Structures are given as C-alpha cells and as structure tokens.
Amino acid sequence: MKNNETKKTFNPDTDPLISVKDLKKSFKDLHALNGVSLDIYKGDVVFIVGPSGSGKSTFLRCLNRLEEPTSGEVYFEGVEITGRNVDINRHRQKMGMVFQQFNLFPHMTVMKNMTQAPRKLQHKSKEEAEAEARVLLDRVGLLDRADAYPNQLSGGQKQRIAIVRALCMKPDVMLFDEPTSALDPEMVGEVLQVMRGLAEEKMTMVVVTHEMAFAREVASKIVFMAEGQILETGTPEEFFNHPKTERLKSFLDRIL
Amino acid sequence: MNILSLMGEDIVEFFTGFGNDFYLNFIKNARWKYLVNGLGVTMKVTLFAVLIGIALGFLVAIIRATHDKAGMMSPLLKAVLNVLNFLCNVYLTVIRGTPVLVQLLIIYFVIFASVRIDKSFVAIVAFGINSGAYVAEIVRGGIMSIDQGQFEAGRSLGFSFAQTMWYIIIPQTFKNVLPALGNEFIVLLKETSVAGYIALEDLTKGGDIIRSQTFSALLPLLAVAAIYLTLVIILSNLQKLLERRLRSSEK
C-alpha cells in the first residue's frame, strides 16, 4: 500500500514553511501551551505578543524543539520535526535563533562565533566561511570587531553579532526570542534596524517581543497569545485598530 | 671575651657537626642517589596518574552531565546512559569513600597479587583511579555551572549534544575548573608519598632508606620536605601562568 499523502513534496510557495498543529506543553502542573495551531508562510514576519506568562516564548522554543512539546505536531518544510526518528540537528541548521541573553560563545572571537557552525556542520573552508561572515559583519556595521571577544562588545553589538551568527547558516526562518528585552534603551534601535533590514529582504521571521511600535511597523501578521492559547491573529491594522476580543482590547489599553 | 670565644667554639662545632651529618646522609656511599631516584619515581607516578585522572575524570563527568542534561533521546540510549551513570556513581562513592592508601594496598596485594608487576605501574593505576573521582566532580561542577543559554545557542545552530559539549561547553569548563584541577594535582603529588607502603622507592621512601642506614632523621626528612615544597611551588607558578594565558585570550 502506498501512502501518497505523506510523500507529497513540499512546495515553498503554496505550503506553509512552518505548520503547527494543536501544540501542547506542560511543565508538571503548569499548562504553558493549551493547543496552539499556526501556519507560517515563506516571507511572513510573524510577531507573537501577549502578557508575560502567556506561553509565547515556550511556543517559539517548541518550533525548533529547544522545548519538547508534550503533544501536537510541528511541520517544517513539509517534514514533521516532532516525530521520533527525526534528525532535529539537520533541521535546526535551517532555523536560526536569537536569544534574549545573546548567548555568544565567550571563549571565541566574533569571527569564530560566526564561522564555527558553517565550518563544522556545512563543511565550509575557513576562507569561505570567513568571507561570508565578513559580508554579514559589514552589513551590521561591525566588520572592525571581527577579532574582538564578546565581553568587549556592548549589548547592542552582541545582539547584532548573535543575529549574523545565526544568518551564517543561511537559515530559511529566523526565530527571535525577546531580542531587545535585555538591552539598554539606547541600544534597542540598532538591533531593530538589523531586524527591519531582514524583514525588507523577505526573510521569514517569528518574533516574540514587547516592542509594540516595532511590531506595528514591521509585522505582516501579529499573533496575540494569552494563557497558552492564540486568541487572535491579524494584520497590524486589524490588531491595533479593530481588536475583536475583550482580552486583546484590555491588553492594548494597558500597553499603549 | 671569654663568652664570645665560647660561642665561637659552639658555632664552629655546630658547623662541623652539620658538615659531618651532611656528608654522612648525602655524600657517603652516594646516598643522595636515593633522593634523586626517588624524585624520579615520584614525578613519573604523579605525571601518569594525573593523565589517567584527567581522562577518567572528564569521561565520568561528561557521562554524568549528559545523563542530567540531555533532552529527548531513544529509549535504548537512555537505558545505556542510566547504566553508565549508575556505574559512575558507584565508582565515585567507593573511591571517595575510602582512603587512597587502602585502595593502593588492595590494588597491589589483592588485584595484582598473583602477578609480578612493576610497582610504579600499580601506583600509577591506583593514584590515577583515585584522582579521576575527584577530577570528575570538579569537572561536572564546571559543566553544570556553564549557562544553559550556551547549550541552547549551540543546539540552535544545529550542533549535536556531543558537538555542543566539545566545541562550546568543555573549553569553557576547562578554563573555569583550572584552579581546582591544579589544586587537585598538587594534592596528588603529595599523596603519592604513601606509595612506600607497597615498597615503591619514591622520594619519601628514599629519604626513609637513608634514615634507616644513618640513624639520623633530621637531614634526610628535611631534604625530602624541601624537595616536595619546591615541586609544589613550581607547579603553583605553572598553574598561575597557564591561567593568565587562558584569561588573556578573552581580553
């Protein structure tokens, strides 16, 4: 018996790049996610917002299985990556991630931070990996810091390096977990500028953030989460000007 | 005048006494060779025991940290890891729960009882196994103290658990545990002085042999102590130098 449905080839233009189906995650007695479903298409810039403790970071971390979902499925480029026999490391190479705390490797120079994964995982030569890294460093204005160590950089510089480190793997999607929350206010702008550039290049992005003005400006779609569920999904226009649920209305009242 | 000349005689007497003692203990019959050869044995045993200790310690620490930290894996792998972790725990409990001298005696008189074997080999094995247990706990503490975000960053780039350990966690751990490791090796150097119990002629035993031949305890034992002290000071300074070099790579 042939099962054609699971063999169906993935079409990046019509099929969702990431498809999440009824995702649940509990930590002991705490239900962080109560059945979340979402499709993310190529070129989407999806912002996930909501009160703290609503499960948005957990949801993001389930997308590349840094957090193991309790149940439900995540499909990435047509492959169920929540399955038992999936080589998750291979898929993670295509999903860049940026963390709130930067998580640069302190024992490596900026250049090594950026070239380690391409060299070891994609078997690029030192020259090739470094040439690509320099192009990206130049783009974020940090070419002169290639030989610096992370503790010599400011917070904003660290986060820009963290973004280009992920980009070095040429990912198909970038996941941002509150990328500006640990930054001093005057450094937020330089990081958002880099993200804005990525969005303009049609990089698929999933962003968990509290930067509402930035979401309004850059997002193609905003997802509102509360109590481990998606309560509302819409364009920035719908989200800010025509909120449908009471929950979102009161959320917007409090933050705007 | 009288008193001064008396004191002068005493001093002269003291120095001739010392000279005689020195001659008796170190020069006569080339007794200094006991110390030099003993020093060689002590350094050989310590050096190889340290190497075994590092290898064993890192291995055990990585097994235990993997058991505690690794996420989802196949049931088979999980079962294997549980067994390994259990064995590691038994090793740590037994080795850290009994005196090193007793371990040395058991290995020499029980485990290698029926075979003729080089005593320094037995000492290397015994002290290596013993040191490994302490190194393991030092290294495990070092691994666990690395921020969880470092693991996540490594995994998010696509590195496997083992690659993340090797490229990202272990290098940072090594730097963090270096002071504690250096200390452990200084302790080990001094601990090998009990090797005389299996009649291994190490530095301590060398001094003791001289004492038993000359019936003079002061100079041989002081010489032994001075040599240990010198070695420890050299090791401490090497350690400081290494730490400074590792730290400067981050500046």
Side-chain angles (χ1 to χ4, degrees), chain A residues 99-157:
Chain A
F99 301 87
Q100 185 177 348
Q101 297 295 342
F102 329 126
N103 297 343
L104 294 181
F105 307 133
H107 59 302
M108 299 179 185
T109 60
V110 164
M111 184 53 84
K112 189 95 187 287
N113 261 279
M114 294 174 69
T115 54
Q116 184 81 343
R119 288 183 60 193
K120 302 296 177 191
L121 297 172
Q122 297 174 336
H123 306 292
K124 287 185 179 162
S125 71
K126 187 168 186 271
E127 293 71 28
E128 190 187 359
E130 291 193 351
E132 289 177 3
R134 269 193 289 272
V135 171
L136 286 164
L137 278 175
D138 194 27
R139 228 178 69 180
V140 296
L142 291 171
L143 191 52
D144 57 328
R145 307 315 310 271
D147 297 320
Y149 282 88
N151 64 3
Q152 297 169 294
L153 305 174
S154 72
Q157 290 176 329

Side-chain angles (χ1 to χ4, degrees), chain B residues 39 43 186 189-190 203 222-238:
Chain B
L39 175 62
M43 291 196 353
I186 287 170
L189 169 72
K190 292 178 289 172
L203 179 56
L222 276 186
V224 166
I227 295 172
Y228 277 114
L229 184 62
T230 310
L231 281 180
V232 169
I233 290 171
I234 292 172
L235 276 182
S236 308
N237 281 319
L238 279 179

Side-chain angles (χ1 to χ4, degrees), chain A residues 9-241:
Chain A
T9 50
F10 169 72
N11 181 343
D13 295 319
T14 55
D15 298 330
L17 187 68
I18 298 176
S19 182
V20 181
K21 293 195 175 10
D22 198 25
L23 199 67
K24 290 182 182 161
K25 172 71 186 178
S26 4
F27 301 97
K28 300 215 169 89
D29 292 337
L30 178 80
H31 297 289
L33 295 175
N34 296 316
V36 175
S37 300
L38 184 68
D39 284 344
I40 296 161
Y41 291 86
K42 192 165 166 249
D44 273 355
V45 178
V46 178
F47 274 64
I48 302 172
V49 300
S52 56
S54 58
K56 43 194 201 304
S57 272
T58 305
F59 172 72
L60 190 77
R61 290 159 57 81
C62 279
L63 294 184
N64 67 354
R65 273 179 53 187
L66 278 189
E67 219 68 78
E68 289 294 343
T70 310
S71 71
E73 292 127 51
V74 177
Y75 294 84
F76 176 59
E77 301 183 327
V79 181
E80 192 201 334
I81 60 169
T82 37
R84 265 257 164 215
N85 294 316
V86 170
D87 180 8
I88 187 65
N89 299 324
R90 202 163 53 80
H91 297 288
R92 279 183 182 145
Q93 293 181 27
K94 294 278 132 201
M95 311 172 99
M97 189 161 200
V98 175
F99 301 87
Q100 185 177 348
Q101 297 295 342
F102 329 126
N103 297 343
L104 294 181
F105 307 133
H107 59 302
M108 299 179 185
T109 60
V110 164
M111 184 53 84
K112 189 95 187 287
N113 261 279
M114 294 174 69
T115 54
Q116 184 81 343
R119 288 183 60 193
K120 302 296 177 191
L121 297 172
Q122 297 174 336
H123 306 292
K124 287 185 179 162
S125 71
K126 187 168 186 271
E127 293 71 28
E128 190 187 359
E130 291 193 351
E132 289 177 3
R134 269 193 289 272
V135 171
L136 286 164
L137 278 175
D138 194 27
R139 228 178 69 180
V140 296
L142 291 171
L143 191 52
D144 57 328
R145 307 315 310 271
D147 297 320
Y149 282 88
N151 64 3
Q152 297 169 294
L153 305 174
S154 72
Q157 290 176 329
K158 282 182 194 165
Q159 195 62 300
R160 282 186 280 161
I161 297 296
I163 293 172
V164 287
R165 177 177 71 179
L167 289 175
C168 275
M169 293 297 285
K170 302 205 176 357
D172 295 332
V173 60
M174 286 284 286
L175 311 175
F176 292 86
D177 190 3
E178 305 204 21
T180 57
S181 299
L183 293 176
D184 291 337
E186 78 266 25
M187 292 173 181
V188 170
E190 62 195 63
V191 171
L192 296 187
Q193 188 55 40
V194 173
M195 292 172 67
R196 192 178 287 119
L198 282 179
E200 280 161 8
E201 287 168 27
K202 296 291 166 212
M203 169 61 82
T204 312
M205 294 161 68
V206 186
V207 185
V208 170
T209 189
H210 297 288
E211 301 282 340
M212 286 302 162
F214 184 60
R216 184 175 218 158
E217 174 199 349
V218 173
S220 65
K221 192 192 226 177
I222 300 183
V223 172
F224 177 63
M225 284 186 74
E227 277 118 42
Q229 287 178 313
I230 292 180
L231 295 190
E232 212 165 310
T233 306
T235 63
E237 152 73 11
E238 293 166 337
F239 182 85
F240 286 102
N241 299 336

